[in-house]
Structures are given as C-alpha cells and as structure tokens.
Amino acid sequence: MVSKISKTDDKLRRLLSEKRIKSVEDNRVGSEVFDKKTLETLYKLANSGYIDLLNGAISTGKEANVFKGLDDENHFVAVKIYRVTTSDFKKMQYYIQGDPRFHVRTTNKRQLVHAWVNKEFRNLKRAYEAGVRVPKPIVAKNNILVMEFIGDNDGNPAPTMKQFYPSNPEEILKKIIYYMELLYKKAKLVHGDLSSFNILIHRQEPVIIDISQGVITDHPISNELLNRDVTNIIKDFKKLGVSISKDEITSKIIDS
Ligand SMILES: Nc1ncnc2c1ncn2[C@@H]1O[C@H](COP(=O)(O)OP(=O)(O)O)[C@@H](O)[C@H]1O
Ligand SMILES: [Mg+2]
C-alpha cells in the first residue's frame, strides 16, 4: 500500500513538474485548468498509466484545453481538459436533451461537463468503430478525455485545415464526404460542428476531431446540424477551388 502511494506521488511530481506547469501557465490557463478536482482526476489517470506526463499545450479553446502528453509506454497522447467554469451549459443541455443515450436531468455544471466529455468519448468510439478517421479514444474520466495524438513522431501536432491548405483538396473532400456518410449510416451520428477548424490534415489525409456536440440521427436537431455541416464544408472547399452542390453532398450522405 505504502509503495503504491509513493509511486503515485512520484508520478505526480513527474506529471506536473515545475517546467511542465510553467508550459501550461505560459498559456495563462494554469489555474483555470488545474483546479483541485481536475488535479485529482489527472492523478488517477496518471496512476492508471494513461498519462505519464503532460508536456505542452496544443490548444487553448473556449471551453477546453488540449495538451500533448506521454503515456506509461512513452507514446504521445492528446489530453483534452474541459474547464468547468467557462463551459457553455445552455449549449450542453440543449444537445444532451433529446439524446436517448443520456439521462442527465441536472443543472449541476460539473455533472453536465462530465456528461459532455462522456458524450465526446462515446461519439468518438462510434465513429472510430464505423471506420471514420478520428483520433482513437482511449479513456474519459470526469472532465478529461485522453485520445490518440494526431501528429508526427517528434510530437508535432497535425495542423487543422484552417491553418494548412492541403495540396490535394479534391481527394480530401471526397474522403470527408465518405466519412460523413459512414458517420450517418453506420455510426448513426451527425458531427454538428464540422468545418476546417475541426479537420486535421495528417500525412495528406483528413482526420475529423471535436465531435462532442455530435448527435444521433434520431435526435430532433440532427437534420439542422447536418445541413449546417454540409454548408460549412461547401464553403471551406470553395476557398480551395473545389465546388460541389448541396444536393450532391447530402444525397451521398443520406440516400441508401
Ligand atoms: N487528437 C488530437 N491530436 C492532435 N491535436 C489535437 C487533437 N485533438 C485536438 N487537437 C488540437 O487541439 C485543437 C482543439 O481541439 P478541439 O477538439 O477542436 O477543441 P475545441 O473545443 O477547443 O475546438 C484542435 O484544433 C487541434 O489543433
Ligand atoms: Mg474544435
């Protein structure tokens, strides 16, 4: 027992060594991200070998921060940590209501965020199992999601399509439409926030991320969300010189 505790302490010291905390604070989010409960969750994940250390922030978003980490076996992982204080609870409630997978009747913010993270994990899993190229989900606990790191072997994260224009936009678009179709027909999900911000370009291939607001196709707002996704994709690819009509994409996605 004693050795187990001291092993955990050791892991924590490593995980959050001064240098690493500093890299987090450099992005001026340290105290916000690492509240006491989040630290406890990180400790538990560290103790189970999912994260051995956090080394560097990849992104500081509106509701979540994404960090690069290493697991017990020295593989890179992406660690998405939702901030309970700045999350959009109205939105979370709106998307979670009407999803039969969740019975969250709560106004408790922390509980809502936990349900939201669980939703992102389950959506990723469904998408992954349906053959959509998304980061492989590893574990979700409380407000923390650990997933496959998309990037090169040196730990440089893949750029988003917003940051990096692909040289093969036609092929990328074809793949994205195919993934939207798989998502709809096999995973029975609609992404709901699809655009060049949530598509990474990795080895000239698209990887779809950030699927937390995804809803199942039976959800009352799924059509509205699909429509929005299609519109965004058309707009983003038009900028890259590739034109496609709304009907063409939509029928490919939903027609049997
Ligand atoms: N699995 C991953 N591998 C590498 N980078 C990632 C991964 N997931 C997210 N990122 C990076 O973090 C950013 C934010 O992640 P995202 O899930 O889109 O959260 P947000 O809700 O802040 O938009 C992405 O634009 C991307 O640059
Ligand atoms: Mg995003």
Side-chain angles (χ1 to χ4, degrees), residues 50-216:
Y50 289 112
I51 318 169
D52 197 36
L53 64 84
L54 287 181
N55 56 351
I58 305 176
S59 153
T60 305
K62 258 202 334 259
E63 299 179 297
N65 297 74
V66 179
F67 297 93
K68 186 173 67 176
L70 283 171
D71 69 11
D72 251 10
E73 289 168 357
N74 260 0
H75 299 124
F76 289 114
V77 287
V79 183
K80 186 169 182 179
I81 304 182
Y82 279 81
R83 295 186 302 272
V84 173
T85 44
T86 54
S87 289
D88 182 346
F89 308 106
K90 287 252 154 56
K91 182 184 87 182
M92 289 181 175
Q93 254 167 342
Y94 182 68
Y95 283 80
I96 286 175
Q97 275 165 12
D99 189 325
R101 293 174 298 168
F102 296 93
H103 304 281
V104 188
R105 302 203 188 291
T106 181
T107 51
N108 178 304
K109 294 180 174 178
R110 193 169 288 277
Q111 275 176 20
L112 259 178
V113 172
H114 293 181
W116 190 253
V117 172
N118 187 241
K119 183 157 123 79
E120 180 160 1
F121 180 83
R122 287 170 66 171
N123 285 349
L124 272 180
K125 191 157 182 281
R126 270 169 94 131
Y128 187 83
E129 283 167 1
V132 180
R133 184 64 179 106
V134 293
K136 184 178 184 187
I138 298 170
V139 68
K141 192 167 185 62
N142 300 336
N143 59 327
I144 302 181
L145 169 69
V146 183
M147 62 188 140
E148 176 193 358
F149 172 78
I150 308 295
D152 67 21
N153 296 337
D154 296 327
N156 303 303
T160 67
M161 217 178 84
K162 192 76 197 170
Q163 299 162 322
F164 176 85
Y165 283 2
S167 56
N168 53 343
E170 275 106 347
E171 277 170 54
I172 300 274
L173 175 61
K174 243 188 171 162
K175 283 241 161 87
I176 288 170
I177 297 171
Y178 174 59
Y179 290 153
M180 290 172 88
E181 182 187 1
L182 279 182
L183 205 56
Y184 193 88
K185 289 179 184 156
K186 252 181 121 176
K188 306 229 179 299
L189 281 176
V190 172
H191 186 289
D193 192 18
L194 197 61
S195 77
S196 54
F197 286 99
N198 287 328
I199 297 167
L200 302 182
I201 301 294
H202 180 49
R203 303 193 175 117
Q204 308 219 34
E205 296 273 340
V207 181
I208 293 177
I209 60 163
D210 202 4
I211 195 170
S212 59
Q213 64 296 301
V215 298
I216 54 171

Side-chain angles (χ1 to χ4, degrees), residues 11-23 53-54:
K11 273 178 180 284
L12 284 179
R13 230 168 282 131
R14 245 172 85 66
L15 179 77
L16 299 168
S17 76
E18 220 175 291
K19 186 165 146 261
R20 280 153 202 138
I21 285 280
K22 194 163 179 304
S23 77
L53 64 84
L54 287 181

